[in-house]
C-alpha cells in the first residue's frame, strides 16, 4: 500500500467481509444470493459449476461494508477446491433445504469442516431454505435450531422464492461480523479480521487500538 | 434519381438474388460435398475454422469425424455406426435396468423382488444407483432452462441415461456436475442435424443424390439412434475433458500439510490434479502474453484457479451463448488432441479481451467480470486471435482486435444487467489508443494527454515496417515476440551484417515493449486511484476545507506519478557512462542525489527526513520489477545507495521502522511523495 499514489489511509468504519455459501446441491444457495444482491428469483436456475461471485456495498451500524459473497457448487465435494472459497471468510452460510433431510446432514459435515479449518473465528449461520414449501417439510425447525445452538451457530429460516427472511439473514450476518471485527481487535493480527483484497494482512501495532488506528 | 444510380441498384438487387439462390440449398451441397469428395483432415479443419459449419447441416457429422467416432471414408460409416450403436445398447442394458419394466412373471419372484438380497437381483443395483440417478437428475432438470428443447421429458431421459451409463462405465470419475452441459450441446447438434435431414427428405430435396449416398446419409441421421450417437460423441469429448473432472489427491483438512501452512495461497500449493496443472499453465501463458494484466491479477490475488475451473470443465459453455459456443467447439474439436494447449490460449484470449475492464477494476470488480464473463461481440475475430496465439505462424493476427472489446460489458451472456455495471468506464490504455491512432477511419476522439508519450516511444525505431506493426497490434507486445524468433531466422538467412541488425532490432523491440508495459501499469494504477478518488468525492461530507486540500494533494501526487519520465534505456553493450554529478532537491528540499559514473546513486538526506531513531529510510522503485525497494541507514549522517539503472524514481521517506523497547516492530506508513526521478 505504500506506493498507492493517493496515499489513502484506512478508516475504522470500513470493512471488507467475505461470506461463503455452502451446502448440498439444489438447496437454493444461488437463489439466496441472487435474491439478496439483485432482488430477483428465477425458478429455472442453472446449477452452479465451481462457484459464482457477487458483491454488495451496504451500511450496517454506521460502518461501510464491502461484502463479497461467494456462492459455491453444491454437488461436488470439492475437497481439493473447497478451501479456495472458504479460506479467509469471516462468515459462512450453511444452507439446507427444509424439505430434504439429507441436505441437513451435509450442513453438519460443513460445520465440522469449517470449525476444523477456520476455528472459532468464522461466524456460522445455519439456514433452512424453501420454507414456502411448508407442506413437504421434513426437517424440524426446532431440531435444527437446537443443533445450531449446540455448535455455536445462528439459525435462520428463509425462502428465496417468496423473499422471506433473506434481507434479514444477510443483515444479521453483517452486524455479527461488524461486532466481531470491533470487539476482537486483539485477534486482528492473527485471524481474519480486516482483510484487504481477500488476502490476509498482518498489522503490527504497538499499543491496543483505541478508536483510531495508528497506521 | 439518375440512371446510373438506378442501374447500380439493379445490379445490387440481382447480386442479392443470386446470393439468395445459392443460399437456398446450402445444406444439400454440404451433403454432396462430403459424400462426393473424400475430405482430408485439413479440409475439415479449414471448414471448422471458416465458420461455415454455423449454417450447415453436417456439423454433427464433421464433429464425429474430427473426434474419430467416424472414419473419413464414407463407405465405412454404416458399419462403424452399427457397431457403436450396438455397444451402447449393450452398455445401457447392463447399467440402466429398470426392474419396474421387467416382466415379473418370467423370473423367479424369490430372487427378483425389491426386498431380495440375492446377488443378481436387478432391484439391488437399482437402489444402489438411486443416489447417482438423483444427482444426475438434479442437474438434468436444470440444463439450459431457457431452451424448450431441454424441457422435454424424452430429452431429459436421454441425457440422464447417457450420463448414468458414462458414470457406470467410468467409475473413477463417475458423474460430476458440469458433464451435463458438455453433453447437452452435443445432443442438441445431432438432433438439429436429424431435423434438417428430415426436412429435406420431406421436401424430396435429396433426390439429386445417388441411391447409395442417400442410404448412407439416412443411416447417419437415423433419429432412433440420437441417444446412442450422442453417447459416442460425448465419450470422445470426455476423453480430453474427463481429467479435469478428476478429484486428484485432495488436500483436505485432514491433511496435516494444509494446517501447517494456513497462509499458503492455493496457486502456490503443490499441484494436486490435472485441472490445477492446466490452470497454472494458463497463468504462465498469460504472463508471457500480457504481463501487465498478469501482474494486476496477481497483485489482487486472483489466479485462474479462482475462476477458470468452470471455463475448462464446461469448455466455456457458460461464457458464450449456445450459437457462439458451437462455433467455438467447431474450432476446438478441429485442433490436434490433446486439446489443452488450445484451451490455454482460449482462456488467455478471454482474459486479454476484457483487459481494459479488468485493469480498471478492483478485486470484486475483476471477479465479477471473470465469474460473469461479458458477451463477446465478434466471436469469429475472437477465435482468430486464439488460433493466432496457438499457431502464430499458421494463422494471421486478426485486425481490429480490441476495438470492439468491452462493448456490451454492461450485460451478461444471459442478457441481464451485469453486476459490475457502473464500475466500468474502462481506462483507455496505450494499446487501445495506438489502435485508434492506427486506423484512419477511427472516430476523432479527444486524445488523452498520455498519448503523446506513447507515440514518442514509437518514434525511435528506424525500421518503418516494424513501426507499423506496433501500431496495429492489439495485444501485448510480448505476443509479438512470438514472431521474433521467426523474424530473426529470416534475417539470419541473409548476410551476417543483417543478422546483427536483426538482433539489435529485436533487443530494441523488447526494450520498447517493456517500456510500454511499465507505462501501462503506471497508467492503470493512476486510473484506479483517480477512480477511487472520484468515488470518495461523491460521498457526502467531502466539502470541508480539509477534505478538499486532501483531495487536491492526492490528485497532484497522481499527476506527478503519471508524468514520470520514461525510464532510461539501458544498453548493456555500452560501457559505463561518464561520471555525472547530479544534485537535485526533491520538492520538499530534503534529498540530494548524486549519480556517479558507476551508476550508483547516493542520496543524502537533510534535516527532517529522518526516522525516529535517527536513521533514514528511502524507498525507490525498481525499474525492472517495478517493485518498491528500500534502503535504510541507521544514523543521520549516512547516505543511502541504490543502483541507479535499477531505479527510476526515488520516493519517500515513507516508512519508518523502529524497534521499540519491548522489541516489537513498529511500522508507520505515511504518504509517499516522489522526491526524485532521475533524468538521463
Amino acid at each position: 500500500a505504500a506506493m498507492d499514489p493517493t496515499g489513502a489511509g484506512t478508516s475504522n468504519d470500513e470493512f471488507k467481509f467475505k461470506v461463503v455459501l455452502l451446502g448440498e446441491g439444489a438447496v437454493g444457495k444461488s437463489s439466496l444470493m441472487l435474491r439478496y444482491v439483485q432482488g430477483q428469483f428465477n425458478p429455472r436456475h442453472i446449477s452452479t459449476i465451481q462457484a459464482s461471485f457477487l458483491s454488495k456495498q451496504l451500511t450496517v451500524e454506521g460502518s461501510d461494508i464491502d461484502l463479497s459473497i461467494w456462492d459455491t457448487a453444491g454437488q461436488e465435494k470439492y475437497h481439493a477446491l473447497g478451501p479456495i472459497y472458504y479460506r479467509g471468510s469471516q462468515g459462512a452460510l450453511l444452507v439446507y433445504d427444509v424439505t430434504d433431510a439429507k441436505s441437513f446432514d451435509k450442513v453438519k459435515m460443513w460445520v465440522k469442516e469449517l470449525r476444523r479449518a477456520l476455528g472459532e473465528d468464522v461466524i456460522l449461520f445455519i439456514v433452512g431454505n424453501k420454507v414456502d414449501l411448508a407442506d413437504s417439510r421434513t426437517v424440524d425447525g426446532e431440531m435444527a435450531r437446537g443443533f445450531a445452538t449446540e455448535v455455536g451457530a445462528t439459525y435462520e429460516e428463509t425462502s428465496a422464492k417468496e423473499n422471506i427472511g433473506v434481507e434479514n439473514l444477510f443483515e444479521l450476518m453483517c452486524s455479527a461480523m461488524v461486532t466481531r471485527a470491533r470487539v476482537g481487535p486483539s485477534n486482528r493480527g492473527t485471524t481474519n479480521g480486516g482483510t484487504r483484497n481477500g488476502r490476509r494482512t498482518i498489522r503490527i501495532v504497538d499499543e491496543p487500538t483505541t478508536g483510531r488506528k495508528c497506521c | 434519381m439518375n440512371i446510373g444510380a438506378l442501374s447500380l441498384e439493379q445490379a445490387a438487387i440481382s447480386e442479392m438474388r443470386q446470393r439468395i439462390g445459392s443460399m437456398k440449398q446450402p445444406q444439400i451441397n454440404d451433403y454432396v460435398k462430403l459424400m462426393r469428395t473424400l475430405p482430408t483432415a485439413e479440409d475439415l479443419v479449414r471448414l471448422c475454422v471458416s465458420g461455415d459449419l454455423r449454417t450447415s447441416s453436417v456439423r454433427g457429422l464433421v464433429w464425429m469425424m474430427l473426434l474419430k467416432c467416424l472414419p473419413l471414408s464414407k463407405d465405412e460409416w454404416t458399419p462403424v455406426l452399427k457397431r457403436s450403436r450396438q455397444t451402447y445398447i449393450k452398455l445401457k442394458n447392463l447399467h440402466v435396468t429398470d426392474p419396474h419394466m421387467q416382466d415379473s412373471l418370467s423370473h423367479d419372484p424369490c430372487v427378483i423382488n425389491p426386498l431380495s438380497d440375492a446377488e443378481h437381483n436387478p432391484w439391488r443395483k437399482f437402489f444402489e444407483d438411486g443416489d447417482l440417478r438423483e444427482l444426475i437428475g438434479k442437474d438434468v432438470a436444470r440444463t439450459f432452462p431457457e431452451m424448450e428443447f431441454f424441457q422435454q421429458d424424452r430429452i431429459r431421459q436421454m441425457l440422464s441415461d447417457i450420463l448414468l451409463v458414462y458414470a457406470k462405465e467410468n467409475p473413477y470419475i463417475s458423474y460430476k456436475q458440469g458433464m451435463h452441459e458438455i453433453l447437452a450441446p452435443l445432443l442438441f447438434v445431432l438432433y438439429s442435424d436429424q431435423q434438417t435431414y428430415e426436412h429435406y427428405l420431406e421436401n424430396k430435396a435429396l433426390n439429386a443424390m445417388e441411391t447409395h449416398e442417400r442410404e448412407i446419409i439416412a443411416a447417419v441421421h437415423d433419429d432412433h439412434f440420437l441417444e446412442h450417437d450422442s453417447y459416442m460423441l460425448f465419450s470422445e469429448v470426455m476423453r480430453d475433458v474427463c481429467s479435469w473432472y478428476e478429484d486428484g489427491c485432495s488436500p483436505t483438512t485432514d491433511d496435516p500439510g494444509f494446517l501447517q501452512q494456513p497462509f499458503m495461497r492455493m496457486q502456490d500449493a503443490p499441484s494436486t490434479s490435472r485441472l490445477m496443472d492446466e490452470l497454472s499453465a494458463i497463468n504462465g501463458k498469460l504472463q508471457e502474453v500480457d504481463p501487465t494484466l498478469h501482474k494486476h491479477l496477481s497483485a489482487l490475488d486472483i489466479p485462474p484457479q479462482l475462476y477458470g475451473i468452470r471455463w475448462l470443465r464446461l469448455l466455456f459453455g457458460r461464457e458464450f451463448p449456445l450459437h457462439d459456443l458451437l462455433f467455438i467447439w467447431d474450432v476446438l474439436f478441429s485442433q490436434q488432441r490433446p486439446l489443452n494447449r488450445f484451451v490455454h490460449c482460449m482462456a488467455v484470449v478471454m482474459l486479454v479481451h476484457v483487459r481494459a475492464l479488468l485493469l480498471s477494476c478492483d478485486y470484486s470488480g475483476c471477479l465479477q467480470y471473470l465469474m460473469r464473463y461479458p458477451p463477446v461481440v465478434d466471436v469469429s475475430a475472437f477465435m482468430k486471435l486464439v488460433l493466432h496465439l496457438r499457431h502464430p505462424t499458421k494463422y494471421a493476427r486478426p485486425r481490429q482486435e480490441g476495438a470492439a472489446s468491452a462493448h456490451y460489458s454492461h450485460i451478461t451472456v444471459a442478457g441481464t444487467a451485469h453486476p459490475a455495471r457502473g464500475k466500468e468506464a474502462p481506462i483507455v490504455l496505450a494499446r487501445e489508443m495506438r489502435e485508434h491512432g492506427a486506423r484512419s477511419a477511427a472516430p476523432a476522439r479527444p486524445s488523452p494527454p498520455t498519448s503523446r508519450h506513447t507515440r514518442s516511444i514509437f518514434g525511435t525505431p528506424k525500421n518503418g515496417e516494424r513501426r507499423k506493426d506496433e501500431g496495429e497490434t492489439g495485444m501485448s507486445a510480448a505476443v509479438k515476440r512470438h514472431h521474433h524468433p521467426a523474424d530473426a531466422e529470416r534475417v539470419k538467412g541473409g548476410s551476417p551484417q543483417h543478422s546483427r541488425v536483426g538482433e539489435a532490432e529485436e533487443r530494441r523491440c523488447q526494450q520498447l515493449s517493456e517500456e510500454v508495459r511499465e507505462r501501462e501499469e503506471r497508467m492503470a494504477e493512476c486510473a484506479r486511484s483517480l477512480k477511487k478518488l472520484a468515488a470518495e468525492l461523491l460521498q457526502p461530507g467531502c466539502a470541508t476545507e480539509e477534505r478538499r486540500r486532501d483531495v487536491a494533494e492526492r490528485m497532484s501526487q497522481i499527476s506527478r506519478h503519471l508524468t514520470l519520465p520514461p525510464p532510461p534505456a539501458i544498453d548493456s553493450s555500452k560501457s559505463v557512462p561518464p561520471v555525472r554529478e547530479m544534485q537535485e532537491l526533491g520538492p520538499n528540499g530534503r534529498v540530494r542525489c548524486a549519480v556517479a559514473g558507476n551508476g550508483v546513486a547516493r542520496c543524502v538526506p537533510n534535516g527532517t527526513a529522518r526516522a525516529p531513531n535517527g536513521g533514514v529510510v528511502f524507498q525507490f522503485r525498481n525499474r525492472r520489477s517495478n517493485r518498491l525497494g528500500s534502503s535504510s541507514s541507521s544514523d543521520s549522517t549516512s547516505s543511502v545507495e541504490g543502483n541507479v539503472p535499477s531505479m527510476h524514481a526515488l520516493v519517500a521517506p515513507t516508512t519508518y521502522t523502529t524497534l521499540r523497547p519491548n522489541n516489537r516492530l513498529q511500522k508507520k506508513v505515511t504518504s509517499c511523495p516522489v522526491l526524485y526521478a532521475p533524468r538521463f
Side-chain angles (χ1 to χ4, degrees):
Chain A
M3 197 48 211
D4 182 351
T6 64
T10 47
S11 122
N12 251 0
D13 288 328
E14 279 172 33
F15 292 102
K16 278 194 176 188
F17 289 133
K18 176 175 163 189
V19 167
V20 62
L21 283 150
L22 297 164
E24 174 72 71
V27 297
K29 296 179 295 298
S30 307
S31 295
L32 277 175
M33 179 173 85
L34 286 176
R35 168 62 84 187
Y36 177 62
V37 179
Q38 299 183 332
Q40 294 165 345
F41 179 77
N42 185 356
R44 288 178 166 187
H45 195 270
I46 45 177
S47 25
T48 307
I49 309 296
Q50 186 187 4
S52 62
F53 172 89
L54 281 177
S55 70
K56 181 161 174 149
Q57 278 75 39
L58 67 157
T59 310
V60 171
E61 297 165 11
S63 303
D64 291 331
I65 293 176
D66 187 351
L67 185 65
S68 304
I69 307 173
W70 280 97
D71 167 32
T72 61
Q75 183 232 320
E76 212 157 335
K77 288 160 210 96
Y78 264 129
H79 262 151
L81 312 171
I84 296 179
Y85 300 107
Y86 63 64
R87 199 178 56 103
S89 306
Q90 285 82 33
L93 299 168
L94 310 179
V95 188
Y96 74 96
D97 174 355
V98 294
T99 69
D100 178 4
K102 253 201 306 194
S103 69
F104 189 71
D105 294 338
K106 188 89 172 218
V107 165
K108 294 179 178 168
M109 187 220 91
W110 276 118
V111 170
K112 265 191 209 159
E113 166 141 12
L114 287 183
R115 285 290 182 225
R116 195 166 43 189
L118 302 179
E120 297 297 318
D121 292 314
V122 65
I123 293 167
L124 295 186
F125 271 58
I126 292 175
V127 184
N129 192 30
K130 307 196 188 176
V131 286
D132 53 299
L133 305 172
D135 292 345
S136 38
R137 182 166 188 143
T138 56
V139 181
D140 180 42
E142 284 317 303
M143 183 278 291
R145 193 179 297 277
F147 171 75
T149 318
E150 215 174 281
V151 297
T154 312
Y155 181 74
E156 284 297 319
E157 292 195 343
T158 56
S159 162
K161 187 178 177 187
E162 302 296 333
N163 197 8
I164 303 168
V166 180
E167 190 88 9
N168 181 44
L169 168 71
F170 281 92
E171 271 170 19
L172 283 175
M173 173 56 99
C174 286
S175 55
M177 289 189 297
V178 169
T179 314
R180 178 73 60 100
R182 283 182 177 160
V183 165
S186 57
N187 291 340
R188 281 200 153 196
T190 50
T191 64
N192 34 34
T195 64
R196 189 183 149 83
N197 298 340
R199 192 192 292 188
R200 291 180 213 198
T201 53
I202 300 175
R203 291 217 175 90
I204 302 162
V205 279
D206 213 22
E207 52 275 301
T209 328
T210 47
R212 295 197 59 152
K213 266 191 304 243
C214 64
C215 43
Chain B
M1 185 186 291
N2 63 34
I3 293 170
L6 193 69
S7 66
L8 267 180
E9 202 166 77
Q10 276 173 339
I13 289 173
S14 75
E15 193 195 320
M16 189 95 86
R17 280 208 185 110
Q18 270 177 4
R19 211 178 290 163
I20 291 171
S22 67
M23 271 169 64
K24 258 183 187 165
Q25 298 185 331
Q27 285 88 351
I28 300 166
N29 288 339
D30 287 341
Y31 292 136
V32 173
K33 224 184 280 169
L34 268 188
M35 297 302 293
R36 301 234 164 117
T37 60
L38 182 64
T40 61
E42 287 80 55
D43 290 339
L44 292 180
V45 172
R46 223 170 295 131
L47 182 63
C48 289
V49 170
S50 71
D52 288 347
L53 281 185
R54 278 170 177 270
T55 51
S56 96
S57 57
V58 292
R59 177 177 256 155
L61 198 56
V62 171
W63 283 8
M64 281 196 199
M65 288 196 271
L66 288 171
L67 293 167
K68 309 270 191 298
C69 298
L70 284 181
L72 290 177
S73 135
K74 61 183 186 295
D75 296 326
E76 294 168 49
W77 287 356
T78 326
V80 168
L81 277 175
K82 202 172 165 193
R83 258 202 316 276
S84 70
R85 287 165 179 172
Q86 284 290 335
T87 314
Y88 179 72
I89 291 171
K90 264 187 226 148
L91 292 176
K92 196 176 169 185
N93 281 337
L94 185 68
H95 298 304
V96 194
T97 40
D98 187 350
H100 294 98
M101 309 298 267
Q102 284 196 344
D103 181 4
S104 55
L105 292 176
S106 64
H107 296 287
D108 179 359
C110 294
V111 174
I112 300 175
N113 76 65
L115 302 176
S116 158
D117 270 343
E119 196 60 44
H120 51 281
N121 180 7
W123 283 97
R124 194 172 145 151
K125 205 164 71 186
F126 182 72
F127 289 131
E128 277 172 6
D129 292 345
D131 286 347
L132 189 56
R133 263 174 223 279
E134 200 190 318
L135 208 61
I136 293 172
K138 265 182 193 170
D139 287 334
V140 166
R142 295 189 284 178
T143 305
F144 289 103
E146 70 285 356
M147 286 177 70
E148 269 321 304
F149 175 73
F150 292 106
Q151 312 312 313
Q152 305 167 52
D153 287 338
R154 188 176 73 96
I155 299 299
R156 284 186 176 178
Q157 190 61 49
M158 279 187 198
L159 292 172
S160 300
D161 287 350
I162 295 172
L163 290 169
L164 186 67
V165 169
Y166 184 83
K168 301 293 283 180
E169 271 296 291
N170 301 276
Y172 178 59
I173 301 157
S174 184
Y175 170 75
K176 297 275 166 56
Q177 239 175 5
M179 289 181 186
H180 63 300
E181 286 186 37
I182 295 282
L183 172 62
L186 298 174
L187 187 122
F188 178 71
V189 163
L190 292 182
Y191 176 83
S192 312
D193 283 3
Q194 284 175 4
Q195 290 304 301
T196 327
Y197 168 76
E198 300 274 325
H199 175 74
Y200 281 105
L201 202 60
E202 275 165 27
N203 293 335
K204 303 199 168 28
L206 299 177
N207 288 352
M209 294 168 77
E210 286 171 35
T211 324
H212 77 277
E213 290 175 339
R214 279 210 301 268
E215 277 170 8
I216 295 175
I217 286 293
V220 171
H221 292 97
D222 191 337
D223 65 355
H224 292 100
F225 297 106
L226 176 60
E227 185 179 333
H228 309 64
D229 296 351
S230 302
Y231 175 79
M232 176 174 66
L233 207 48
F234 176 65
S235 355
E236 278 306 319
V237 175
M238 285 305 287
R239 219 178 263 267
D240 273 310
V241 182
C242 73
S243 65
W244 303 336
Y245 280 95
E246 283 166 13
D247 282 333
C249 48
S250 50
T252 59
T253 44
D254 298 328
D255 184 353
F258 175 77
L259 287 175
Q260 276 165 11
Q261 290 163 300
F263 292 101
M264 187 174 69
R265 300 177 305 163
M266 71 260 174
Q267 61 266 37
D268 303 330
S271 148
T272 53
S273 65
R274 282 279 306 278
L275 182 66
M276 292 298 146
D277 293 345
E278 306 290 4
L279 294 165
S280 308
I282 289 172
N283 214 13
K285 185 100 189 161
L286 179 66
Q287 184 170 25
E288 180 190 322
V289 169
D290 193 341
T292 312
L293 186 58
H294 174 264
K295 209 175 145 203
H296 177 62
L297 292 177
S298 303
L300 292 177
D301 203 2
I302 305 180
Q305 281 82 343
L306 215 52
Y307 54 83
I309 296 173
R310 184 175 71 209
W311 292 7
L312 264 59
R313 286 200 173 161
L314 301 188
L315 289 176
F316 311 103
R318 291 268 174 95
E319 278 62 45
F320 295 88
L322 189 62
H323 55 274
D324 286 339
L325 178 71
L326 296 181
F327 167 61
I328 290 169
W329 284 12
D330 288 341
V331 182
L332 180 68
F333 295 155
S334 75
Q335 298 298 303
Q336 257 180 6
R337 305 167 90 178
L339 300 175
N340 59 352
R341 301 274 296 274
F342 187 80
V343 166
H344 298 164
C345 294
M346 177 86 192
V348 167
V349 172
M350 281 173 75
L351 291 169
V352 170
H353 190 74
V354 293
R355 74 191 300 275
L357 290 173
L358 296 177
L359 286 174
S360 68
C361 278
D362 58 359
Y363 178 76
S364 64
C366 280
L367 274 174
Q368 274 178 1
Y369 280 122
L370 292 171
M371 304 298 284
R372 268 155 228 259
Y373 193 74
V376 172
V377 180
D378 184 352
V379 180
S380 78
F382 182 91
M383 290 314 286
K384 280 193 185 120
L385 191 57
V386 181
L387 284 165
H388 169 73
L389 197 56
R390 178 72 188 90
H391 310 286
T393 49
K394 196 169 163 194
Y395 295 97
R397 157 188 300 285
R399 295 279 167 111
Q400 292 196 350
E401 195 278 330
S405 72
H407 286 184
Y408 294 154
S409 62
H410 59 292
I411 53 171
T412 63
V413 169
T416 52
H418 199 282
R421 192 177 186 167
K423 292 199 178 196
E424 71 250 31
I427 317 164
V428 180
L429 291 169
R431 188 161 302 151
E432 271 85 6
M433 284 188 304
R434 258 176 280 144
E435 252 156 44
H436 284 289
R439 283 180 297 121
S440 54
R445 51 160 66 208
S447 162
T450 37
S451 63
R452 190 171 43 85
H453 292 286
T454 320
R455 297 251 166 72
S456 69
I457 292 176
F458 294 108
T460 11
K462 281 164 238 130
N463 188 331
E465 188 151 327
R466 176 84 74 200
R467 189 174 172 184
K468 192 170 147 227
D469 179 51
E470 302 270 7
E472 281 166 2
T473 286
M475 233 208 299
S476 163
V479 181
K480 282 173 291 185
R481 261 180 249 155
H482 282 287
H483 294 300
H484 295 159
D487 286 356
E489 271 322 297
R490 202 183 57 222
V491 174
K492 270 181 192 136
S495 67
Q497 194 189 350
H498 274 133
S499 135
R500 269 204 304 281
V501 170
E503 278 164 22
E505 278 281 289
E506 189 162 323
R507 259 206 313 278
R508 178 82 184 126
C509 241
Q510 280 186 5
Q511 259 174 27
L512 286 173
S513 59
E514 205 146 292
E515 282 168 22
V516 171
R517 184 165 66 78
E518 274 173 22
R519 189 164 286 277
E520 269 188 350
E521 277 166 13
R522 203 153 56 187
M523 283 167 68
E525 196 178 332
C526 288
R528 280 194 295 276
S529 307
L530 277 174
K531 244 164 121 181
K532 204 159 119 197
L533 207 56
E536 280 176 33
L537 276 177
L538 287 175
Q539 281 174 359
C542 85
T544 62
E545 182 65 25
E546 192 191 344
R547 288 285 293 146
R548 285 218 315 272
R549 275 175 195 284
D550 179 40
V551 167
E553 170 61 20
R554 278 159 62 189
M555 284 181 81
S556 57
Q557 275 174 25
I558 293 170
S559 140
R560 243 173 288 159
H561 195 60
L562 258 177
T563 50
L564 286 183
I570 302 156
D571 194 340
S572 48
S573 63
K574 278 189 191 153
S575 56
V576 177
V579 177
R580 277 180 297 173
E581 192 76 19
M582 269 187 168
Q583 286 206 348
E584 194 165 306
L585 288 178
N588 301 334
R590 287 174 184 171
V591 175
R592 246 170 344 119
C593 290
V595 183
N598 58 1
V600 171
R602 218 164 244 281
C603 305
V604 184
N606 99 6
T608 48
R610 221 162 271 172
N613 66 348
V616 177
V617 181
F618 289 105
Q619 293 204 338
F620 48 83
R621 203 158 258 271
N622 189 300
R623 213 181 60 80
R624 287 260 161 253
S625 64
N626 209 26
R627 288 227 181 84
L628 277 177
S630 66
S631 289
S632 57
S633 66
S634 52
D635 63 84
S636 56
T637 52
S638 306
S639 59
V640 179
E641 293 186 354
N643 199 342
V644 170
S646 73
M647 189 161 99
H648 74 212
L650 182 73
V651 294
T654 53
T655 318
Y656 298 131
T657 314
T658 47
L659 206 57
R660 282 292 175 118
N662 60 2
N663 270 353
R664 288 180 68 183
L665 274 180
Q666 186 188 31
K667 259 193 164 183
K668 220 168 196 182
V669 178
T670 61
S671 63
C672 35
V674 176
L675 295 183
Y676 170 71
R679 289 190 190 84
F680 290 85

